[in-house]
Amino acid sequence: MHRYWFHVGPVAIWSKLLTWIARSKTTHSKRGHSLNQKGPVLCPHMKKGQHPGHHPLFYSQFVLASRFRSMWGLVASRVWRVLMIKFSFGAALVALLLFAALPQAPAQDARQNEAGQFDFYVLSLSWSPSFCAAAAERDSSRAPTLQCGARPYSFVVHGLWPQYDRGFPEYCQVPAPRLDRGIVSSMLDLMPAPHLVFNEWDKHGTCSGLAPRAYFEVVRKARAVVKIPPQFMDLQDSLNVTPAAVEDAFKAANPGLSPNGMAIGCDKKRLTEVRICLSKELQFRDCTEVARRSCTRDQLVMPPLRGS
């Protein structure tokens, strides 16, 4: 026994012993004999016919092996649990960091989408030549719309939008009250696209708390409040500008308008719109949340008026 232990080693002994235990479990019959035709596997110190469980050496080794396996099972279980906890914590931390890196939408106002409940207006003035140039790039085969036809439009009204200090309402009445065709026709000088008039009423006008005719009267008054800088009134040639230069031009033409009360809109290369914040009484006012979304490109192009 000692010679066998010396030559084979303790690790191999344990391995053979555990293998023998597993084999004896599957091959042992009711009488203690193997179901295998070669007979039971015997320890060198066992007498022939002796049940393996009656051997004192086997019994002590069996107890040790059982405890050994139980101990490693417990250790493995606890290691697995620790690894899973660490993995879950790591995954949660990564998800939290990714969520924090995403641009956060403004918190929803408690008055969300209640008609007539808002803090100020945003008047959006679209530079029509940029809109038409982008539309032609998307699909040059389409016939020009009223806005992109023969009449040379400069800044047109995109919309007058009720706004919260944080966020904005939209579609406050679904379905929206019917919009009379006469009102649509009367607004085409400022908003030269019938579908635009319908869309702005459904999405923004219904949140003003006003009837359709009253709302579009306010749109016309708001447009009259804002003076277009003279250098943009009849632009005959393409003009390269900076967002700051456009802001300065509008400030010079509109005393009381501050950089924090407006925002410049742009696409990849063109100036697209100017947004100006007005109180409910149509006075210039600051609007930090709107102003901070102003275009940050170094240079922008203002295409000339159509027909120029």
Side-chain angles (χ1 to χ4, degrees):
M1 178 67 178
H2 297 294
R3 187 180 303 169
Y4 184 81
W5 180 275
F6 174 78
H7 287 291
V8 179
V11 175
I13 292 292
W14 275 112
S15 177
K16 288 179 178 295
L17 182 59
L18 293 176
T19 302
W20 183 83
I21 292 169
R23 189 186 302 172
S24 65
K25 279 188 172 183
T26 59
T27 62
H28 186 259
S29 68
K30 293 183 179 180
R31 295 182 179 180
H33 294 289
S34 171
L35 294 176
N36 196 323
Q37 293 180 356
K38 295 182 180 180
V41 179
L42 298 177
C43 173
H45 294 276
M46 286 177 61
K47 295 179 181 179
K48 189 173 182 179
Q50 184 178 5
H51 191 283
H54 297 161
H55 193 284
L57 174 62
F58 171 81
Y59 183 77
S60 60
Q61 298 278 355
F62 177 77
V63 171
L64 289 173
S66 299
R67 291 180 177 176
F68 179 79
R69 285 186 294 176
S70 299
M71 178 187 71
W72 278 109
L74 179 61
V75 170
S77 175
R78 291 188 177 180
V79 168
W80 176 255
R81 186 179 303 172
V82 170
L83 289 175
M84 289 303 294
I85 290 173
K86 287 188 175 181
F87 174 79
S88 300
F89 176 77
L93 182 60
V94 170
L96 181 62
L97 292 175
L98 289 175
F99 179 77
L102 293 174
Q104 299 298 309
Q108 191 177 60
D109 193 278
R111 305 161 293 176
Q112 189 68 35
N113 299 341
E114 290 185 21
Q117 300 299 310
F118 61 97
D119 298 313
F120 61 98
Y121 288 112
V122 170
L123 176 66
S124 177
L125 300 175
S126 172
W127 181 245
S128 183
S130 290
F131 171 82
C132 295
E137 288 176 355
R138 288 192 298 270
D139 188 357
S140 59
S141 63
R142 292 186 62 180
T145 61
L146 174 63
Q147 181 176 350
C148 302
R151 180 174 174 177
Y153 289 98
S154 55
F155 279 105
V156 299
V157 175
H158 180 181
L160 182 68
W161 307 333
Q163 197 88 6
Y164 303 131
D165 288 326
R166 292 181 59 84
F168 55 89
E170 59 182 1
Y171 298 109
C172 295
Q173 291 178 264
V174 180
R178 181 182 175 85
L179 190 58
D180 186 85
R181 289 279 179 176
I183 297 175
V184 176
S185 299
S186 70
M187 294 302 299
L188 293 180
D189 60 325
L190 298 182
M191 305 172 71
H195 72 274
L196 174 63
V197 180
F198 281 108
N199 181 73
E200 290 301 305
W201 166 246
D202 291 348
K203 187 173 182 179
H204 301 289
T206 55
C207 297
S208 67
L210 302 173
R213 190 171 299 279
Y215 168 71
F216 285 104
E217 286 176 359
V218 174
V219 172
R220 189 170 291 279
K221 289 178 182 178
R223 173 60 186 84
V225 166
V226 179
K227 303 296 185 293
I228 303 300
Q231 59 267 45
F232 303 146
M233 292 290 292
D234 189 21
L235 192 63
Q236 299 296 309
D237 298 303
S238 181
L239 181 64
N240 292 325
V241 296
T242 65
V246 176
E247 287 183 353
D248 290 342
F250 270 86
K251 284 190 298 180
N254 296 276
L257 179 61
S258 75
N260 287 328
M262 62 186 303
I264 305 301
C266 63
D267 58 19
K268 292 182 179 179
K269 56 184 177 182
R270 289 181 285 253
L271 180 139
T272 56
E273 64 182 354
V274 176
R275 297 179 178 182
I276 296 175
C277 298
L278 301 168
S279 68
K280 289 184 176 181
E281 295 75 28
L282 304 183
Q283 301 295 316
F284 296 124
R285 58 156 286 173
D286 287 352
C287 47
T288 305
E289 185 181 318
V290 175
R292 72 181 183 186
R293 290 182 170 81
S294 189
C295 177
T296 58
R297 295 191 180 277
D298 295 331
Q299 288 285 329
L300 298 173
V301 175
M302 292 182 69
L305 271 61
R306 295 181 65 81
S308 299

